[in-house]
Amino acid sequence: MENQSKVWYVTGASDGLGLNLVKQLLAAGYRVAATAESKAELEDAVRDNSSNFLALEVNLSREDTVIASLQTAADTFGNIDVVVNNAAQKPAGRFEEFSDKQARANFEINVFGMMNVIRNAMSHFRPQQSGHIFNISSAAASSGKYSGLSIHCATRFAVAGLSESLAAEAKPFGIHVTVVLPDQFRSSLAKEEATTTAEPAVAGNTASAMISIAQNEEPPLYLFLSKASFLAATERLESIKKDMCLWPHT
């Protein structure tokens, strides 16, 4: 199969990394099914009228819309080869400031919405004995040390844990799973945050790396694409190792 014949399904595609990825894929000749809460906003952002682009309006918390969108993508392009779970929210604030409702709402998008996509994408991947799932995370999946981001870190750790187990389950079916830990980039997820200082090229570099990884027969489970996420993971491993040595199992 030629790489450009692969069909990509990308969530959260109306801005940020998702939008950049969709544009790069289309420019390279891939077929792309992209989702957003508003189809009109997505089409306006992508601005591609070719038959290679399919815009889909999806509410990730409603599994019926996820199922319908995946089936529409498969019916339109013949199959689905790569799924990118990019849609996410990033709440900031001390843990005790969040109500149960607010915390659950964030898990609804960052975790359960992603699960809805994966669960139903697997039904397309298993019969064809191939597929690749990219779960977009952040440095918050490397370490929970970020003050004021407890809920976000909890969702990111959940994504990483699910991905590790899913990778083991999916491997016998020829399906790959990769957790992507990028640097910060501008999007509606963080455009109001003073800490978002990354250059626009960061999203472009992340998208390019994912496209390259998807062509590899043995892609990584963890894809570290920023110094911050790499250092956070290293520090966390050292901290765990220190505690294991100081408080050995007896």
Side-chain angles (χ1 to χ4, degrees):
M1 179 189 298
E2 293 294 328
N3 289 324
Q4 280 73 13
S5 69
K6 287 186 175 181
V7 178
W8 289 62
Y9 176 97
V10 183
T11 70
S14 60
D15 70 351
L17 171 60
L19 177 59
N20 200 299
L21 176 60
V22 168
K23 287 185 174 182
Q24 284 197 40
L25 288 168
L26 290 171
Y30 291 91
R31 291 169 292 169
V32 183
T35 83
E37 292 183 348
S38 169
K39 180 179 179 181
E41 289 183 9
L42 177 58
E43 291 176 331
D44 184 62
V46 176
R47 295 184 179 277
D48 188 301
N49 296 318
S50 72
S51 59
N52 281 354
F53 175 58
L54 175 65
L56 298 163
E57 188 165 301
V58 175
N59 180 343
L60 295 179
S61 64
R62 286 185 51 193
E63 190 170 17
D64 60 330
T65 70
V66 173
I67 293 172
S69 68
L70 285 164
Q71 190 59 56
T72 299
D75 290 343
T76 301
F77 295 129
N79 58 284
I80 302 171
D81 300 291
V82 184
V83 164
V84 179
N85 286 298
N86 173 65
Q89 296 177 351
K90 185 179 180 181
R94 291 190 299 272
F95 175 75
E96 66 269 21
E97 294 176 344
F98 286 93
S99 67
D100 176 75
K101 182 178 180 180
Q102 290 173 316
R104 289 177 183 274
N106 193 240
F107 268 83
E108 186 67 34
I109 297 299
N110 291 11
V111 180
F112 294 109
M114 178 195 69
M115 287 182 176
N116 284 339
V117 174
I118 294 173
R119 182 184 304 111
N120 294 289
M122 289 294 285
S123 65
H124 292 271
F125 287 165
R126 282 198 188 95
Q128 65 192 33
Q129 294 288 291
S130 67
H132 196 157
I133 297 170
F134 284 96
N135 293 326
I136 308 302
S137 188
S138 71
S142 304
S143 173
K145 69 176 183 179
Y146 301 100
S147 178
L149 292 176
S150 55
I151 300 300
H152 182 65
C153 285
T155 66
R156 300 296 85 186
F157 268 78
V159 169
L162 169 65
S163 298
E164 287 191 15
S165 182
L166 179 66
E169 291 181 10
K171 186 176 181 179
F173 299 96
I175 302 167
H176 301 294
V177 180
T178 298
V179 184
V180 182
L181 295 92
D183 205 342
Q184 295 188 59
F185 38 78
R186 298 188 185 280
S187 72
S188 61
L189 179 69
K191 64 185 178 183
E192 301 299 329
E193 297 177 19
T195 57
T196 304
T197 58
E199 295 296 326
V202 173
N205 292 339
T206 300
S208 296
M210 291 170 60
I211 294 172
S212 177
I213 289 296
Q215 299 173 21
N216 197 299
E217 293 184 359
E218 295 294 334
L221 173 57
Y222 280 93
L223 180 60
F224 290 89
L225 292 176
S226 77
K227 185 177 181 179
S229 60
F230 183 87
L231 290 177
T234 301
E235 291 175 3
R236 179 169 180 265
L237 290 173
E238 289 298 324
S239 177
I240 292 173
K241 182 178 179 181
K242 179 181 178 181
D243 286 347
M244 290 174 67
C245 292
L246 288 174
W247 301 93
H249 174 71
T250 57

